[in-house]
Amino acid sequence: MSRGQTVNRESGAEHQPRVALVHDWLTGMRGGEKVLEAICSLYPGAPLFSLIHARGQVSPSIERHPVRTSFVQRLPTAVRRYRQFLPLFPAAVELFDLDTFDLVISTSHCAVKSVVRPGRAIHVSYCHSPMRYAWDQFGAYFGPAQVGHARSQLFRPVMAALARWDRATAGRVDRYVANSRYVAERIRRYYNRESTVVYPPVDTAFYRPDDDRRPTRSGFLVVSALVPYKRLDVAIDACRQLGAPLTIVGTGPELGRLQAMAGPDVTFLGWQSNEDIRELYRRSTATLLPGVEDFGMVPVEAQACGCPVVALGSGGAAETVIDGETGALVPDSSAAAFADGLSRVRRLAFEEPALRSHALQFSRDRFLESFQGAVDAAVAARRDSDTGAGRLPVHTREVRR
């Protein structure tokens, strides 16, 4: 029997496992979509369920999958302002029809880990984070400074209800896969579930030093969405204290506020191509990460290009940056602490090969191998459980590598 085929115990016939992929929304190529893109390569042609799909905003390799959207897609302005429909997401997710599938793989930081699978199916969820807005980051998304005092008060009971639903539906997943030890702890805290840690894939073949030249490194760099919890104000203040130039790549609702506080040494570039970002990594003194990240691909991309990282010493960065070897971990989120971290990096001598060697443990190939292993383990656990209970499954599954 070839790998990836299944056997029907009653007829002996072989067939391919029926796989469904589920993702919160398809509106751009951020870190979550890069993970989805890698998973799509394991299951070419598998139907992809999503609350929202903005055509042309994700990679061609994702777009090639048949995409099935929820009723939210048909609501006015939903594609551009989907977060305002958060209260509808539980109903939309539970209406996805997954009855014909053997294996459901969700990639979620919001709602789709709570899809309803058929009893015979196995659900593996790659969890970027339990729903942030409903748990410990309500203020960063729906606080008075973000949406106004009155709207913030209206959102509070809505998010509390979402948190209760999020916890109550945690049992719909057979195997959680976390993107970092930090997120694994959050899954344990909010869902009371254990998880397997598989770090996200970073394109270390693309993000690499320039072998033909060694540009002079100068100035500091931030690559980030401009949203409150990223704490880019700290990066601006720290560089101001040092009198050092700072380049910021990214867009978002915080742009106006950050521009107002920035001095002449801060350059806002907006979003840039991957090629341009790679070049910025190659010629910056260090890349800054002042906020708490669940994992954070940017620090790994930077190190793969030989660029050290100055990051807050908590969250995912504590797992991807080695203090004193591939950058500096800062003890708190004050501008003074980050200014000290930047000064440390300026004094230290970093070897590009050492930084790149560290980054390679987060490569795409390693992700694919580890994630497939987690799926295989979930399938084997279900098979052993059914057999041990005296319920030989109609299908035993070997999931294709």
Side-chain angles (χ1 to χ4, degrees):
M1 182 179 67
S2 64
R3 181 172 291 165
Q5 291 178 320
T6 62
V7 175
N8 186 303
R9 289 276 182 159
E10 295 173 347
S11 66
E14 296 180 359
H15 71 277
Q16 293 291 331
R18 294 162 295 188
V19 180
L21 307 178
V22 196
H23 191 70
D24 286 308
W25 45 75
L26 301 169
T27 59
M29 283 301 295
R30 293 170 284 270
E33 288 69 43
K34 292 178 180 178
V35 172
L36 174 64
E37 184 179 47
I39 293 174
C40 282
S41 72
L42 291 171
Y43 306 99
L48 173 56
F49 293 78
S50 184
L51 291 163
I52 297 289
H53 179 206
R55 295 184 183 277
Q57 297 303 304
V58 292
S59 69
S61 59
I62 295 176
E63 295 277 4
R64 280 194 290 271
H65 287 250
V67 177
R68 303 177 186 178
T69 56
S70 71
F71 69 81
V72 179
Q73 176 85 18
R74 299 187 291 276
L75 299 176
T77 74
V79 173
R80 290 182 292 106
R81 299 179 179 177
Y82 49 90
R83 285 190 179 89
Q84 69 184 8
F85 297 103
L86 270 170
L88 300 180
F89 286 0
V93 162
E94 292 176 348
L95 285 173
F96 282 142
D97 183 2
L98 302 173
D99 285 348
T100 62
F101 298 99
D102 304 308
L103 173 64
V104 176
I105 297 176
S106 64
T107 60
S108 181
H109 66 275
C110 184
V112 298
K113 74 100 174 76
S114 299
V115 292
V116 180
R117 60 157 176 79
R120 70 175 183 280
I122 298 168
H123 180 188
V124 177
S125 183
Y126 190 92
C127 183
H128 297 283
S129 172
M131 196 184 302
R132 301 181 188 96
Y133 356 90
W135 293 107
D136 57 345
Q137 293 185 23
F138 173 85
Y141 288 90
F142 298 108
Q146 280 66 52
V147 299
H149 180 76
R151 292 187 68 197
S152 179
Q153 292 300 108
L154 289 173
F155 271 114
R156 191 168 292 281
V158 172
M159 292 300 109
L162 274 176
R164 291 192 294 271
W165 173 80
D166 191 39
R167 188 193 300 273
T169 58
R172 294 178 182 175
V173 175
D174 294 290
R175 175 70 58 99
Y176 280 97
V177 181
N179 69 355
S180 64
R181 295 194 300 271
Y182 174 71
V183 167
E185 177 54 39
R186 288 167 57 80
I187 292 170
R188 186 179 299 113
R189 182 188 318 147
Y190 297 126
Y191 299 159
N192 195 29
R193 294 288 300 275
E194 296 301 313
S195 56
T196 303
V197 175
V198 175
Y199 291 119
V202 176
D203 191 351
T204 52
F206 176 82
Y207 292 104
R208 58 182 304 119
D210 190 334
D211 294 331
D212 297 326
R213 60 188 179 90
R214 288 291 183 268
T216 301
R217 293 186 177 275
S218 64
F220 297 105
L221 175 67
V222 166
V223 179
S224 173
L226 309 187
V227 293
Y229 81 93
K230 299 288 188 177
R231 297 305 312 273
L232 302 191
D233 53 328
V234 173
I236 292 172
D237 283 341
C239 288
R240 180 187 292 118
Q241 290 184 22
L242 291 181
L246 173 65
T247 298
I248 297 178
V249 174
T251 59
E254 286 276 277
L255 177 60
R257 185 179 77 87
L258 295 172
Q259 286 178 324
M261 68 176 293
D265 286 338
V266 181
T267 303
F268 293 86
L269 295 182
W271 278 121
Q272 300 290 299
S273 69
N274 291 335
E275 289 77 11
D276 289 338
I277 292 172
R278 179 177 63 183
E279 185 60 26
L280 288 166
Y281 287 144
R282 288 171 172 175
R283 54 186 173 87
S284 297
T285 301
T287 297
L288 279 68
L289 193 79
V292 177
E293 295 285 348
D294 299 318
F295 172 73
M297 288 188 174
V298 165
V300 181
E301 292 173 354
Q303 291 170 87
C305 291
C307 179
V309 175
V310 179
L312 185 65
S314 63
E319 301 171 46
T320 61
V321 179
I322 303 175
D323 189 47
E325 295 184 24
T326 68
L329 292 175
V330 173
D332 62 69
S333 58
S334 67
F338 265 86
D340 182 65
L342 297 176
S343 296
R344 285 178 57 207
V345 165
R346 278 177 161 177
R347 294 192 302 268
L348 293 171
F350 294 96
E351 296 294 330
E352 285 187 356
L355 271 72
R356 178 163 177 77
S357 176
H358 174 63
L360 288 177
Q361 67 181 295
F362 305 101
S363 70
R364 178 186 173 94
D365 286 345
R366 185 164 293 191
F367 168 82
L368 292 174
E369 179 181 358
S370 299
F371 181 75
Q372 187 64 75
V375 172
D376 290 346
V379 171
R382 165 63 71 84
R383 183 171 57 235
D384 293 345
S385 174
D386 287 346
T387 303
R391 301 189 308 272
L392 280 178
V394 173
H395 305 297
T396 57
R397 302 172 185 82
E398 292 181 4
V399 180
R400 171 174 37 78
R401 290 188 184 275

